[in-house]
Amino acid sequence: MIWTIDALLTGRAVPFGVDGEPSAIGKTPVDRPLRVGPMGIEGDEQADLVHHGGVDKAIHHYPRDHYAFWRARLGPDSLLNGPGAFGENITTTGLVEAGLCIGDRLRLGTALVEVSQARQPCWKLGRRFGIESVPATVVKTAYSGWYYRVIENGLVAAGDRLEMVDRPLPQWPVDLVFRLLIGGTAKREPALARALAALPQLSVTWRKRAAAFSG
């Protein structure tokens, strides 16, 4: 399976919202190749290092496939006229959460990356769109996007290929894991929660979250 990287985006931390709290959610497209390393893409920042960034959340990917839904849901919004509305680093068409699994390895340009977790929505998405219900809608739909950890350094640019290399865990699609751990259905599925808690490909923070549901 091969997709095309529609856009490559980076951002710097700047004051965000009425309180001026730093955020790098406002990412803009880059039209040249950038280095990819363990902490993410060259020139990209995260302001809140507790909830964003780090080796398990080095690169954020959000599907352009969901933008039509958000335009219908939220109405006209200039953020949805181009990539980056959800603070993503990578956007593609034709690949969504139901078609990707935890532990999937993909060739991103010349880098090798691995799916580590879905993106957990926070209040900044509501603030960005000026609609507080956006995070709750993400939880309801599982239109979350996902994160990669970097297995091999490399270069990536818009227009490069994103190619599936390995799928060791087909039983753990990203949307299922999101619904279990963020939607809360793991409360009724303690055996699945225990299995996720023991899954080394899942991010450390989500393994801890799964352990809390496991009973």
Side-chain angles (χ1 to χ4, degrees), residues 53-74:
V55 294
D56 278 345
K57 294 179 284 185
I59 299 170
H60 177 216
H61 187 156
Y62 196 83
R64 284 296 292 273
D65 307 70
H66 298 330
Y67 273 51
F69 166 85
W70 289 109
R71 283 191 290 268
R73 179 85 177 194
L74 304 179

Side-chain angles (χ1 to χ4, degrees), residues 132-212:
E132 291 185 2
S133 62
V134 169
T137 302
V138 172
V139 173
K140 182 178 179 179
T141 60
Y143 290 172
S144 61
W146 55 87
Y147 286 109
Y148 298 115
R149 64 172 62 89
V150 177
I151 304 301
E152 295 176 4
N153 298 353
L155 291 171
V156 64
D160 281 354
R161 301 195 327 173
L162 178 69
E163 182 175 2
M164 183 71 66
V165 174
D166 188 29
R167 171 163 288 173
L169 302 168
Q171 71 273 35
W172 292 118
V174 170
D175 64 332
L176 170 64
V177 176
F178 180 88
R179 293 183 190 281
L180 284 165
L181 299 185
I182 303 302
T185 61
K187 294 174 184 177
R188 303 188 297 273
E189 301 279 0
L192 293 181
R194 284 192 292 274
L196 282 171
L199 198 65
Q201 292 91 340
L202 190 64
S203 69
V204 172
T205 55
W206 276 34
R207 274 184 273 157
K208 291 178 180 177
R209 190 177 186 90

